[in-house]
Amino acid sequence: SSLHLSVSRMAMAQAGKRVKLTGTQNTSSKEAGKIASLGLCDVIKLVETGLLGWLIPAERLVSMLQVSKGLNRELVSLLSDEKIRSSLSAILRVSCRKDDAERRIDFSRFKSVNVELHLQGSCVDGHVVQEIKRAVAAGWGGPATLHLDAAVPRGSTQQATTAAGLLLRDFRDLKHLKVEGALSSEKRATDSWSFLTQALQGCTCLTSFDLVDCRMDPDVFIEILKQLICCKGLKRLSISGTPFGDKPQAPVALAWALRCLPELEFLEIEGAHLGEKGLLALCKTLPFCRRLKSLDLDADLELTDDMSTPLALSLPRSLTDLRLSQCDMEDGGAAIFATALSRFSGLEAVDFGHNHMGSLGVAHMARGLWKSVYLKRLVLRDTDCGIGGCCVGTTVLAEAMRSCWRLTDLDLGENCFTLDQLSILAKSLMLSPSLRQLHLDGCDLGPAGAQLIADILPSLPLLSLLHLSRNDLQEEGLATLLPTLAKCERLRTLHLGGNALTAEGGRMVAELIGSLPALENVYLEDNEIGLVGALHLAEAIRASPSLQHVSLTVGVATGEGEAELLQAAKRCRIAWHDDDSCCV
């Protein structure tokens, strides 16, 4: 229950550079000069002398406190210190289980501290609730963030759930509420969820509400949606993996709730099986969300041409982020949305991935983005843009990208492009110097396409992520990429998985790691690197000053090569897992 902060590479701190402080448990301090494990008293001394603020900005210092059977006394004194409280944001994670009856947590100690309360287990009643009640009675305003992870009462009485609901209503400081993974398959499903409906009635300061993977009775879901009208200041609403059911009252209740949320800025509905009636009800409500900035509807929709029209016409002008992935949109729906998008000049992110609109649909969509000069993120993954070798979609897309000069993230993965289509896109990418992330995985580039990528890279000085997995590059393509990749000084993440690389490819990647000072993540899974290539990578891991994560498939799970890799991983603080010859 104590807190350890690892300061890596203290020499960098002495040189005046910022050093990351990460909260860890059981931090090893055997390797002197590389990892310095600081106890709680050392952290207090750093804060008192002002050195902690010099090492890292106060707003980025977040300590993860895992409570087992009680709070450490030093921790309580730490949070009671006014100096430390001003620079420390405590995240309190409480594992709520019935067999932890001996735990006693004085929540009143956390006054004026930004606390995230994470309740895990099968109940929210019992001793933990009693401790929270005492703290509330003593003047504690509750946590700023409450995360209920599978913590819905099961088999509990109506009195217990009512008490839990009244307790949550007393959290006057609660701003973020997340309920995740709560299943309710009992006969008294309504009673099991009554605490949440009661809590929403009193959470007037709530600004964010997430309902994730909660399987509940449709009647209960409708009651929860009705209570959202009490949260007038709600800015974020996310319903993910929680199906609406067959009752038409659920989408109607959601529509009425959205009309009563004038401050709503973020709306996400994923995997909810909204249906045609639900979509029509949502279309009638969206014009009332005049401050809505982000709309994500990955809800197993079937956006036919008839359904695309009302949704496209109902989009509020305030939108800056639109995500409509996996909606079965075809070229006709793409043309309808392209007309609607031409009215939005402030779009910053657009995601129409996993919609099989074809080359013609991509051309329509690209025409709608010609005026989006503020566009920063564009996702057209798995849109069948390259099927048939038609260059219409890539040509219009390349022209649209030239006007999006602020573009930083481009995802065209899972589209099988021909060399002619790639050459058209390459000319446009050379005119996108602001690009930071480029996803071209599963595009069937091959060694010939690697040359086109090599020609693009010198024009992307800010590139930090390059995704080239599953492109059958082989050693020939990697050798073509190697000279230009070595000059990408800001590259942090590189994906080269599934490219039929052997031991020679492992040696090339090892050389590349040594020439990239900012590289943090390398993904080489589904390659036949072998132990010889793994040994080359082990040497590169030892020498790399920044590498944090390496994923590769060795091919043989035993032998001297594995020991070398394991030793290098421990020395460089890299996580290592061995599962069916897959080493990470």
Side-chain angles (χ1 to χ4, degrees):
S1 60
S2 60
L3 175 68
H4 297 280
L5 296 179
S6 300
V7 183
S8 61
R9 308 195 183 281
M10 298 297 293
M12 292 178 61
Q14 296 175 0
K17 298 181 179 180
R18 292 181 178 178
V19 178
K20 293 181 179 179
L21 290 180
T22 57
T24 59
Q25 289 187 340
N26 301 325
T27 305
S28 175
S29 58
K30 295 182 180 179
E31 297 181 20
K34 285 197 173 183
I35 300 180
S37 295
L38 302 181
L40 213 52
C41 295
D42 298 326
V43 177
I44 296 176
K45 292 178 182 179
L46 282 176
V47 175
E48 290 176 348
T49 56
L51 291 177
L52 193 59
W54 174 66
L55 288 175
I56 187 171
E59 62 271 10
R60 293 185 59 190
L61 176 60
V62 179
S63 63
M64 307 296 291
L65 313 179
Q66 182 70 33
V67 180
S68 57
K69 291 187 178 180
L71 286 178
N72 189 291
R73 291 183 179 180
E74 292 177 300
L75 178 60
V76 173
S77 63
L78 174 67
L79 296 176
S80 302
D81 194 303
E82 194 68 33
K83 295 180 181 178
I84 301 176
R85 188 187 312 152
S86 61
S87 62
L88 187 64
S89 176
I91 298 182
L92 176 65
R93 296 185 180 273
V94 181
S95 179
C96 176
R97 300 186 181 92
K98 292 182 178 180
D99 56 350
D100 292 335
E102 59 188 55
R103 181 191 297 126
R104 291 295 180 264
I105 303 173
D106 188 2
F107 288 97
S108 61
R109 297 273 188 175
F110 294 96
K111 293 180 181 179
S112 304
V113 178
N114 184 19
V115 176
E116 175 183 331
L117 186 59
H118 190 165
L119 294 177
Q120 294 176 316
S122 60
C123 62
V124 295
D125 54 345
H127 63 281
V128 174
V129 171
Q130 296 300 326
E131 295 292 337
I132 296 176
K133 281 183 178 180
R134 295 190 186 100
V136 171
W140 185 47
T145 301
L146 177 61
H147 184 183
L148 300 177
D149 190 355
V152 173
R154 300 185 185 187
S156 54
T157 63
Q158 179 67 25
Q159 290 80 4
T161 55
T162 302
L166 294 175
L167 174 65
L168 297 181
R169 290 179 61 179
D170 292 334
F171 287 167
R172 57 182 180 273
D173 295 338
L174 186 63
K175 295 183 179 179
H176 309 281
L177 176 60
K178 182 177 182 180
V179 182
E180 180 180 2
L183 305 180
S184 182
S185 58
E186 305 170 355
K187 294 181 179 179
R188 294 187 177 182
T190 304
D191 294 344
S192 299
W193 284 95
S194 61
F195 83 100
L196 186 56
T197 58
Q198 296 172 10
L200 291 175
Q201 293 176 4
C203 297
T204 56
C205 297
L206 199 66
T207 60
S208 175
F209 179 53
D210 292 71
L211 204 59
V212 183
D213 295 333
C214 296
R215 308 291 176 176
M216 64 183 73
D217 186 80
D219 293 331
V220 181
F221 187 38
I222 292 172
E223 290 299 322
I224 293 176
L225 293 176
K226 289 181 179 179
Q227 299 305 324
L228 289 177
I229 62 176
C230 301
C231 308
K232 300 294 184 181
L234 197 68
K235 294 184 178 180
R236 172 190 167 89
L237 176 60
S238 175
I239 302 175
S240 178
T242 305
F244 277 66
D246 298 331
K247 293 190 176 182
Q249 294 87 344
V252 174
L254 176 63
W256 277 106
L258 293 178
R259 292 194 181 196
C260 300
L261 301 176
E263 303 294 329
L264 192 66
E265 296 180 356
F266 179 92
L267 177 60
E268 177 185 17
I269 303 177
E270 292 189 357
H273 305 288
L274 196 57
E276 183 176 343
K277 295 182 179 179
L279 182 58
L280 290 176
L282 183 64
C283 293
K284 296 178 181 179
T285 307
L286 285 178
F288 294 92
C289 303
R290 298 180 181 179
R291 296 190 179 183
L292 192 66
K293 295 181 179 179
S294 178
L295 178 62
D296 187 351
L297 293 180
D298 183 4
D300 297 330
L301 299 176
E302 293 185 5
L303 282 179
T304 60
D305 297 351
D306 295 336
M307 296 303 300
S308 298
T309 302
L311 181 58
L313 295 177
S314 64
L315 297 177
R317 294 291 187 91
S318 57
L319 272 183
T320 59
D321 187 351
L322 178 61
R323 305 178 187 182
L324 295 174
S325 61
Q326 298 181 356
C327 293
D328 292 336
M329 186 188 305
E330 298 182 353
D331 55 349
I336 295 172
F337 275 97
T339 305
L341 292 180
S342 61
R343 301 182 289 111
F344 296 87
S345 58
L347 278 176
E348 297 180 2
V350 174
D351 183 355
F352 284 91
H354 304 286
N355 288 299
H356 303 291
M357 59 184 70
S359 179
L360 185 58
V362 172
H364 289 311
M365 197 64 65
R367 289 192 182 97
L369 297 175
W370 275 350
K371 297 181 180 180
S372 302
V373 295
Y374 296 100
L375 191 66
K376 296 180 180 179
R377 182 173 184 266
L378 177 60
V379 179
L380 292 174
R381 168 179 290 270
D382 190 19
T383 54
D384 296 338
C385 181
I387 285 184
C390 180
C391 296
V392 176
T394 53
T395 301
V396 181
L397 179 60
E399 294 176 358
M401 287 170 53
R402 293 173 184 174
S403 63
C404 304
W405 55 275
R406 287 184 173 92
L407 194 66
T408 60
D409 186 355
L410 178 63
D411 190 348
L412 298 176
E414 305 296 338
N415 288 299
C416 296
F417 295 111
T418 63
L419 288 179
D420 293 336
Q421 293 171 334
L422 282 174
S423 61
I424 294 173
L425 291 174
K427 294 178 182 179
S428 179
L429 288 172
M430 291 179 183
L431 302 177
S432 304
S434 61
L435 202 64
R436 298 175 184 270
Q437 298 186 16
L438 179 59
H439 300 261
L440 291 173
D441 53 301
C443 291
D444 197 19
L445 299 179
Q451 182 60 54
L452 293 174
I453 304 299
D455 296 338
I456 295 172
L457 292 179
S459 304
L460 306 177
L462 302 179
L463 191 67
S464 62
L465 184 147
L466 181 60
H467 201 333
L468 296 177
S469 297
R470 303 185 306 280
N471 276 304
D472 195 25
L473 296 178
Q474 305 177 17
E475 274 76 16
E476 181 183 353
L478 184 59
T480 304
L481 286 170
L482 204 61
T484 53
L485 271 176
K487 298 179 182 179
C488 298
E489 298 180 353
R490 300 194 180 189
L491 191 65
R492 294 185 177 181
T493 303
L494 178 62
H495 292 260
L496 291 173
N499 279 301
L501 301 179
T502 60
E504 179 64 18
R507 184 193 64 79
M508 294 181 184
V509 175
E511 293 181 2
L512 184 62
I513 291 175
S515 60
L516 295 176
L519 192 63
E520 297 178 355
N521 307 293
V522 178
Y523 297 88
L524 295 169
E525 65 279 358
D526 298 327
N527 286 303
E528 297 298 329
I529 297 293
L531 291 179
V532 176
L535 288 174
H536 289 294
L537 290 170
E539 295 297 328
I541 290 173
R542 288 193 185 99
S544 175
S546 59
L547 203 60
Q548 296 180 4
H549 182 91
V550 177
S551 174
L552 68 149
T553 304
V554 176
V556 180
T558 58
E560 182 181 356
E562 183 189 13
E564 292 289 335
L565 271 176
L566 183 58
Q567 182 181 3
K570 288 182 177 179
R571 189 172 180 179
C572 296
R573 309 175 311 284
I574 296 178
W576 175 277
H577 305 284
D578 191 353
D579 185 11
D580 295 334
S581 303
C582 182
C583 304
V584 181

